[in-house]
Amino acid sequence: MAALSEEQSIIRDQAKAWAVEQAPVQAFRAVRDAHLPGAFEPKTWAAMAELGWTGIVIPEAYGGSDLGYLTFGLVLEELGRNLTAAPLFASALVGASALLLGGNEAQKRALLPEIAKGQAIVTLAVDEGPRHAPAATAMTAVAEAGGFRLDGEKTFVLEGMAATHLIVAARTAGRPGETAGITLFLVPADAAGIRRAPIGTMDSRGYATIRFDGVAVPADAVLGAVDGGFPLLDATMDRARAGLAAEMLGTAAAAFDLTLDYLKTRKQFGRVIGSFQALGHRAAALFSSLELARSCVEAALQALDDGAPDAAQLCSLAKARMGECLYDMSNDLIQIHGGIGMTDEFDAGLYLKRARVLEAAFGNRAFHRDRYARLLGY
């Protein structure tokens, strides 16, 4: 485990206590059953802004606290433990990171303070198919008088129904499959020509398909460089991948705790089942995998804070390792619990469903193994 500063320890403990008391798994179950429009409870989101979590990576000059990605990861881990639903990851980490990395001064001053206050929800719209494939961007942005015209469709846009602004990857040159020719645009979510439709996913979160039909944006809506937006997009997604890995770490840790508790209390043949060697060894293997993944996640977050040259590799390593760990952990959570694990009344199924979506988001294990190898020149 990383050596935390006193401030980081306080924030981690605050997040742990708040999530258990105010946003436990039962609260997520209630949100799911209520079918809320944004798939999260507005008062939960407001509380997160009040706690200052929405400004953790935002500099003080723009209304944040500038405490860095490792600190943000500590909060996401606790939310992942409790399956807490909110736009914190999508907006305060991913949206804010894109603006910090590629926004001009006017864009930063207009939106970063609003993100820090929780009043703006800025999300990234990148994928156009069922698999994460940013280079496959086919959506077009054609230059016209005074700006660009956007046409195309994005899918699985996280918090897409609740977003106030979208950061959209579109092609201003080149062909799908090429990294050159992609440009990022900052677009109000209520702009003329945008149609949003919710997607029902197994984890009951707020995804949307967003259609752009002749959406006109001014030239100053561009983030970064025209035709050269892929490095900015990739750097933004690295922050998303490391943050998502931190949330997955929390989800896996909670799944492990549920499993361990069952092993220690469920009796068979007059003994607790954890005393059987096969199950004891299985639990030890899961714990080892979890601690190894934790090291990878914390190294990636720390590398982002340090501006380390190998941050991209570490982010892919963390996402791949955490994906493998969470896959095994969620499977064993169900299998060791047997029939009860398959019922909706028991929380195991909620963790399994969330695990499957998290594993695929921003690149699955295969995507990141391949990227890791390419980055290291294999």
Side-chain angles (χ1 to χ4, degrees), residues 214-280:
V215 177
V217 296
D220 62 6
V222 172
L223 262 71
V226 174
D227 294 347
F230 190 82
L232 167 61
L233 177 63
D234 212 26
T236 300
M237 290 188 299
D238 272 338
R239 282 140 182 85
R241 291 155 180 157
L244 209 58
E247 182 179 340
M248 294 165 74
L249 178 63
T251 304
F256 180 72
D257 289 346
L258 281 171
T259 303
L260 200 60
D261 184 60
Y262 191 69
L263 289 174
K264 289 179 177 177
T265 54
R266 175 78 166 91
K267 288 187 176 179
Q268 191 68 275
F269 309 115
R271 297 166 55 188
V272 292
I273 59 175
S275 66
F276 297 118
Q277 190 178 54
L279 290 178

Side-chain angles (χ1 to χ4, degrees), residues 16 26 47 63 72 91 101 108 201 250 267 302 350 365:
K16 185 189 291 286
Q26 294 87 340
F72 207 123
S91 183
L101 292 169
K108 290 178 182 176
T201 56
K267 288 187 176 179
Q302 189 65 64
L350 300 179
R365 284 172 282 166

Side-chain angles (χ1 to χ4, degrees), residues 168-185:
V168 184
R171 189 162 289 285
T172 44
R175 294 178 298 182
E178 297 175 350
T179 55
I182 291 176
T183 305
L184 297 188
F185 295 89

Side-chain angles (χ1 to χ4, degrees), residues 27 30-43 161 198 204-206:
V31 168
R32 182 201 66 169
D33 294 344
H35 301 290
L36 298 178
F40 65 88
E41 180 62 68
K43 68 180 183 184
M161 297 304 293
S204 305
R205 300 300 176 102

Side-chain angles (χ1 to χ4, degrees), residues 52 54-66 92 96-97 99-118 120:
T54 44
I56 286 178
V57 300
I58 296 175
E60 293 180 16
Y62 303 111
S65 54
D66 201 13
S97 292
L99 286 163
L100 287 168
L101 292 169
N104 58 40
E105 192 57 27
Q107 290 166 336
K108 290 178 182 176
R109 291 203 175 279
L111 274 179
L112 288 175
E114 297 301 303
I115 293 175
K117 288 186 282 189

Side-chain angles (χ1 to χ4, degrees), residues 36-255:
L36 298 178
F40 65 88
E41 180 62 68
K43 68 180 183 184
T44 301
W45 176 230
M48 290 180 179
E50 220 170 280
L51 288 163
W53 297 346
T54 44
I56 286 178
V57 300
I58 296 175
E60 293 180 16
Y62 303 111
S65 54
D66 201 13
L67 292 172
Y69 290 96
L70 180 58
T71 305
F72 207 123
L74 297 172
V75 174
L76 289 173
E77 181 181 342
E78 297 307 325
L79 301 184
R81 279 181 180 270
N82 294 278
L83 303 179
T84 307
L88 187 71
F89 166 78
S91 183
L93 190 145
V94 186
S97 292
L99 286 163
L100 287 168
L101 292 169
N104 58 40
E105 192 57 27
Q107 290 166 336
K108 290 178 182 176
R109 291 203 175 279
L111 274 179
L112 288 175
E114 297 301 303
I115 293 175
K117 288 186 282 189
Q119 293 178 352
I121 297 176
V122 182
T123 192
L124 182 66
V126 56
D127 285 319
E128 300 176 10
R131 291 181 182 275
H132 179 62
T137 295
M139 180 174 168
T140 60
V142 178
E144 57 183 21
F148 295 85
R149 173 193 166 103
L150 305 183
D151 288 281
E153 186 173 279
K154 297 293 181 182
T155 191
F156 294 105
V157 179
L158 190 56
E159 314 299 350
M161 297 304 293
T164 59
H165 296 77
L166 306 165
I167 294 173
V168 184
R171 189 162 289 285
T172 44
R175 294 178 298 182
E178 297 175 350
T179 55
I182 291 176
T183 305
L184 297 188
F185 295 89
L186 178 61
V187 185
D190 60 355
I194 288 181
R195 286 180 295 157
R196 296 188 275 184
I199 301 175
T201 56
M202 69 172 74
D203 64 343
S204 305
R205 300 300 176 102
Y207 301 91
T209 293
I210 303 182
R211 180 74 200 171
F212 299 77
D213 291 313
V215 177
V217 296
D220 62 6
V222 172
L223 262 71
V226 174
D227 294 347
F230 190 82
L232 167 61
L233 177 63
D234 212 26
T236 300
M237 290 188 299
D238 272 338
R239 282 140 182 85
R241 291 155 180 157
L244 209 58
E247 182 179 340
M248 294 165 74
L249 178 63
T251 304

